[in-house]
Amino acid sequence: MKYKKNEGAKIGRKERIWYEGACYHVMARGVRRQEIFKEKEDYEIMLMILQKTQEQIPFELNCYCLMTNHIHMILTTRDMEIGKIMKRFLAAYARNFNAKYHYSGHLFESRFVSRIIEDDVYFLEASRYIHLNPVKAGMVNEPVVYPYSSYRSYMETGSEGNSLLDRSRVMNCFRYDPVERYRKFVEDGVTHGEQKMLIQTEIGEDDLWHGQSCFRLFVDFSFHISYNARERRERRERRERRERSIAL
């Protein structure tokens, strides 16, 4: 296995371990714990930019959760190091966010947080931790209700509805009926307190990230999503127009 130093790392910063195929739990958060999404359209724009980044720098997205003031992802690199992927992705979203709301300055903290994942046990625990983030924050009672995570896609029998996502590593961890067994793993109260605390400590997240600001902003708009055919068509048309206007 060939390891590569993170080129351009600043003095005093710990260099990230990277090699082709390296898998990471990644978190990026708003500067001074500020919201990085103001309305539901912002979540959609971030996912579009993530997809455009994936098209330009191929990587596997194993799971994600977009919270109001931070994001979690598990992604597996190919031939490009994690730092370059995240820099392009976060910079593109920040540019679009600042232009939309007429802001200037930094949107995210200066450096995203990452923890390399080297075994399936930690991989599964991290995916559960990510998918339960909205439940922990008091935003929903069940993770499948939250619209801005990959958990819904995992609960579907097919993955055609989410071209961003690669579900294969999670599904391959369960030999029979993988969707139902993963659901039970995430939802059925399997004891994981020690692993949860380990992940929370290593990724640098504390309970303050899941306070009233998350809940307040979420309830303002998230429960008013309509799934009738007319609105789906209108959303798709708006999304296509925005996608054409977004420049990385």
Side-chain angles (χ1 to χ4, degrees):
M1 186 177 293
K2 183 178 180 181
Y3 289 84
K4 179 180 179 180
K5 291 183 179 180
N6 189 357
E7 295 176 358
K10 294 182 180 179
I11 296 175
R13 284 185 172 179
K14 184 179 179 180
E15 293 184 346
R16 302 185 198 273
I17 296 174
W18 177 77
Y19 51 86
E20 291 186 18
C23 179
Y24 300 86
H25 177 190
V26 176
M27 182 177 72
R29 49 198 174 193
V31 65
R32 295 182 296 278
R33 305 190 179 196
Q34 294 177 349
E35 291 93 348
I36 56 176
F37 306 102
K38 288 186 172 294
E39 58 182 8
K40 64 181 181 180
E41 182 185 60
D42 297 334
Y43 293 86
E44 297 168 356
I45 289 174
M46 174 169 274
L47 292 175
M48 288 180 204
I49 291 175
L50 185 59
Q51 186 160 25
K52 284 179 174 287
T53 304
Q54 190 181 56
E55 291 169 357
Q56 296 177 353
I57 309 176
F59 60 88
E60 296 171 10
L61 182 65
N62 305 111
C63 76
Y64 65 86
C65 185
L66 312 182
M67 303 291 282
T68 52
N69 59 8
H70 66 288
I71 62 172
H72 284 276
M73 297 188 295
I74 295 179
L75 62 84
T76 303
T77 63
R78 293 187 182 175
D79 57 358
M80 184 65 69
E81 63 189 73
I82 182 71
K84 292 182 179 178
I85 296 170
M86 292 300 296
K87 181 178 180 181
R88 176 171 294 196
F89 164 53
L90 295 178
Y93 179 75
R95 284 197 302 272
N96 280 273
F97 184 92
N98 286 349
K100 178 179 179 180
Y101 295 108
H102 308 289
Y103 289 171
S104 62
H106 295 292
L107 177 62
F108 296 98
E109 288 187 349
S110 60
R111 200 179 195 217
F112 67 93
V113 182
S114 67
R115 200 280 189 186
I116 197 164
I117 299 174
E118 297 186 297
D119 60 72
D120 286 340
V121 173
Y122 194 97
F123 177 86
L124 283 176
E125 289 289 351
S127 76
R128 171 162 59 183
Y129 177 85
I130 290 171
H131 285 145
L132 287 178
N133 245 231
V135 178
K136 180 183 177 184
M139 300 163 80
V140 294
N141 292 324
E142 300 176 353
V144 73
V145 177
Y146 191 68
Y148 308 118
S149 88
S150 53
Y151 189 66
R152 280 185 177 180
S153 296
Y154 272 102
M155 294 300 99
E156 298 170 355
T157 55
S159 60
E160 296 82 1
N162 194 334
S163 59
L164 264 175
L165 194 64
D166 188 329
R167 306 189 310 166
S168 60
R169 183 170 178 181
V170 167
M171 295 293 97
N172 289 339
C173 290
F174 301 95
R175 187 172 181 182
Y176 303 110
D177 196 6
V179 172
E180 177 60 15
R181 292 184 70 185
Y182 183 62
R183 184 195 68 78
K184 290 182 177 180
F185 172 78
V186 172
E187 297 182 30
D188 282 9
V190 179
T191 301
H192 66 294
E194 291 184 2
Q195 284 289 342
K196 172 186 167 185
M197 290 300 296
L198 174 63
I199 293 169
Q200 187 168 314
T201 299
E202 290 187 339
I203 206 68
E205 183 175 35
D206 58 52
D207 289 337
L208 291 175
W209 292 107
H210 303 291
Q212 289 298 316
S213 62
C214 288
F215 181 76
R216 173 180 53 77
L217 188 63
F218 182 76
V219 297
D220 283 344
F221 58 88
S222 293
F223 292 108
H224 300 287
I225 299 172
S226 169
Y227 293 98
N228 60 65
R230 177 180 176 182
E231 186 162 342
R232 284 201 304 269
R233 183 174 64 255
E234 291 174 352
R235 286 204 308 271
R236 184 173 63 251
E237 292 172 353
R238 290 196 301 269
R239 185 168 61 248
E240 289 172 352
R241 288 196 297 269
R242 288 196 305 271
E243 187 172 10
R244 289 193 293 269
S245 67
I246 292 172
L248 288 183

